[in-house]
Amino acid sequence: LTWEQAAAECSSCATRFASVDEIPLLVADRISEPDAEREPQGLLHSLPPSLRGLAGRSRRFIRPSLVHRSAQKRALTSTFIASFPSGSTVLNVGAGGSLYEGNVVNLDIAPTPGIHVVGRAERLPFRAEAFDGIVFQAVLEHVENSDQALKEILRVLRPGGALFLEVPFIQGYHPAPRDHRRYTEKGLAAELEQHGFVVEETGVAVG
């Protein structure tokens, strides 16, 4: 990429990309959310802005979590990232507000705080075999094309690299911005193997 003030241009295909707060928006096709097709955002977003903070802080008392996640399970992602030797690079696809120590590149579909690159899982804006590890946590259910997303994950993962993937099974509908699918443990393993991954370990992260 060649950078010019608030934009960048690909030297190979001449595609131009904008940036927001120095976060490159590496999405060639715009992520559209037409009002007619927009998913319901829930009660919190229907409240006046002045009440959303209080409602958000009260959510755990009004609607407590129905699942238990032990300290060991909560540390799975950090442990995965820490398992790589010094100098390794890990990609966090669909990072959201998650922040981890180490050389982690945070990618999401919106330029929110902590995000390094804006892009889509189905079209990752990185060269092949660029990352030693990839975190793909609670994202696969949201992408429109899961087949293409897994192909892209495999493409940018270096030979011998590792993927940490977590998806819901029994979880309520949660569009962010869409919610397309659920997986069983066996079904997810089969899906990964069909795409060329070697599944080394599976388990239940929440429950």
Side-chain angles (χ1 to χ4, degrees), residues 34-55:
D35 291 339
E37 299 178 2
R38 186 164 298 182
E39 300 281 1
Q41 296 297 309
L43 178 62
L44 183 62
H45 293 273
S46 68
L47 294 174
S50 59
L51 296 178
R52 291 178 188 173
L54 175 61

Side-chain angles (χ1 to χ4, degrees), residues 1-18:
L1 292 176
T2 302
W3 286 94
E4 298 177 0
Q5 297 180 344
E9 181 174 312
C10 177
S11 57
S12 298
C13 65
T15 302
R16 291 183 62 82
F17 303 94

Side-chain angles (χ1 to χ4, degrees), residues 79-101:
T79 301
F80 171 78
I81 293 172
S83 70
F84 292 92
S86 176
S88 300
T89 304
V90 176
L91 175 64
N92 187 6
V93 179
S98 61
L99 296 174
Y100 300 104
E101 296 181 359

Side-chain angles (χ1 to χ4, degrees), residues 117-130:
V117 177
V118 169
R120 302 180 65 158
E122 298 98 323
R123 192 175 179 181
L124 294 173
F126 306 106
R127 61 174 173 81
E129 302 179 3

Side-chain angles (χ1 to χ4, degrees), residues 87-159:
S88 300
T89 304
V90 176
L91 175 64
N92 187 6
V93 179
S98 61
L99 296 174
Y100 300 104
E101 296 181 359
N103 191 18
V104 179
V105 177
N106 292 325
L107 177 142
D108 210 303
I109 61 172
T112 54
I115 299 302
H116 302 118
V117 177
V118 169
R120 302 180 65 158
E122 298 98 323
R123 192 175 179 181
L124 294 173
F126 306 106
R127 61 174 173 81
E129 302 179 3
F131 298 96
D132 301 285
I134 296 178
V135 173
F136 202 30
Q137 188 171 21
V139 177
L140 191 59
E141 70 271 22
H142 297 294
V143 301
E144 292 182 10
N145 190 332
S146 60
D147 180 70
Q148 182 60 30
L150 290 174
K151 288 179 180 177
E152 279 291 275
I153 293 291
L154 188 61
R155 181 184 67 83
V156 302
L157 191 61
R158 289 175 183 155

